[in-house]
Amino acid sequence: LKVTWVRNFTDIDDKILRRAQELGMSWQEVAEGYIASFREDMTALGVPPAQIEPKATEHIPQILDLIRRLEDLGFAYGRKGGGGGDVFFRVRRFPGYGKLSGQKLEDMEAGTRIEVDPNKEDPLDFVLWKTSKPGEPAWESPWGPGRPGWHIECSAMSMQYLGETFDLHGGGQDLVFPHHENELAQSEAATGKPFARYWLHHGLLTINAEKMSKSLGNFFTVKEVLSRFPAEVV
């Protein structure tokens, strides 16, 4: 089978901006540094690059088009009371929400945090476009200067290179909800077509039965592991 493999990079988000501030670097330098390190590690492991490796910041027009489409269909709205600013997705407007993760709306409702964004119509709604704070990178949009939310960029890039429906969507188990659930909802809401025919979610690396994560500090980098074991074994 001839396979087209797309692997996208989120090169702008809150974590990148915080890290840039900590290091006194530009956000572009931070993002490019991590992308270069990732590619180096994948090459060392013998994992070939994807044919297409798009970045979120190179697809702002496609992202804006997708948000406008959702707004025209009544799935997206600006902050309550109008005016520029954040744009949100109406979760309850999409009838299939929860079908990927098996979550029920009433359970999600019970789990919403007490501090809900006052600009949302509903606590379950998620952000599509974020207003940039002073000093943060910003792109012009019909809703004022800002940057894309995490979920919308993935849908825009998938559709750009694979069409409105494609075969396989991969990712870690930790992305099933909310990331992939939101990606599926906004994509199918915009097109009225199935988004991905199959979803493949890989398990998580664990150490002593705990998830390997930065926050727990129980992790090894690929570079550290490869200094001790051959790539084929890893």
Side-chain angles (χ1 to χ4, degrees):
L1 296 173
K2 187 175 179 295
V3 176
T4 303
W5 179 24
V6 180
R7 179 170 65 190
N8 63 296
F9 290 105
T10 297
D11 58 345
I12 185 78
D13 69 2
D14 293 340
K15 286 181 184 174
I16 292 168
L17 294 178
R18 273 199 302 274
R19 194 84 178 117
Q21 214 170 4
E22 285 165 16
L23 298 171
M25 294 164 72
S26 73
W27 63 269
Q28 293 102 321
E29 284 175 302
V30 171
E32 286 303 326
Y34 278 111
I35 290 169
S37 182
F38 170 78
R39 285 182 168 145
E40 204 178 283
D41 288 349
M42 290 301 106
T43 301
L45 286 168
V47 178
Q51 286 103 320
I52 306 165
E53 296 194 332
K55 294 173 192 161
T57 58
E58 294 169 355
H59 295 78
I60 301 294
Q62 291 90 334
I63 291 165
L64 293 174
D65 283 349
L66 187 52
I67 298 172
R68 265 196 297 262
R69 205 163 157 188
L70 288 166
E71 193 177 47
D72 291 345
L73 291 164
F75 285 104
Y77 63 93
R79 64 175 62 200
K80 276 200 298 193
D86 298 346
V87 181
F88 300 96
F89 181 86
R90 286 188 175 101
V91 163
R92 290 181 200 276
R93 182 66 67 91
F94 181 69
Y97 195 80
K99 64 183 177 181
L100 182 68
S101 60
Q103 302 253 31
K104 292 188 171 65
L105 283 176
E106 53 269 28
D107 296 339
M108 293 180 212
E109 226 168 12
T112 50
R113 290 194 302 273
I114 295 154
E115 285 180 57
V116 173
D117 187 329
N119 296 311
K120 289 184 181 185
E121 291 176 356
D122 188 306
L124 296 180
D125 295 348
F126 60 85
V127 73
L128 299 169
W129 185 258
K130 298 176 89 156
T131 309
S132 290
K133 298 184 183 85
E136 287 185 347
W139 287 264
E140 284 307 316
S141 83
W143 312 280
R147 55 192 166 90
W150 179 32
H151 315 301
I152 197 71
E153 65 186 46
C154 296
S155 290
M157 287 188 271
S158 299
M159 290 185 198
Q160 171 73 20
Y161 297 104
L162 296 169
E164 293 178 344
T165 302
F166 57 97
D167 292 318
L168 302 169
H169 193 316
Q173 277 175 357
D174 50 340
L175 296 182
V176 179
F177 185 86
H179 184 46
H180 288 167
E181 193 71 70
N182 291 350
E183 213 185 317
L184 183 154
Q186 66 201 7
S187 303
E188 296 191 356
T191 67
K193 299 172 187 170
F195 181 48
R197 292 188 179 93
Y198 297 92
W199 293 79
L200 301 175
H201 293 104
H202 63 75
L204 305 173
L205 287 172
T206 57
I207 288 191
N208 299 330
E210 269 190 316
K211 175 188 163 184
M212 190 192 278
S213 71
K214 271 185 254 181
S215 57
L216 292 172
N218 64 348
F219 68 92
F220 302 99
T221 65
V222 171
K223 289 175 179 68
E224 285 166 349
V225 176
L226 288 179
S227 71
R228 295 182 57 193
F229 304 101
E232 279 195 12
V233 172
V234 178

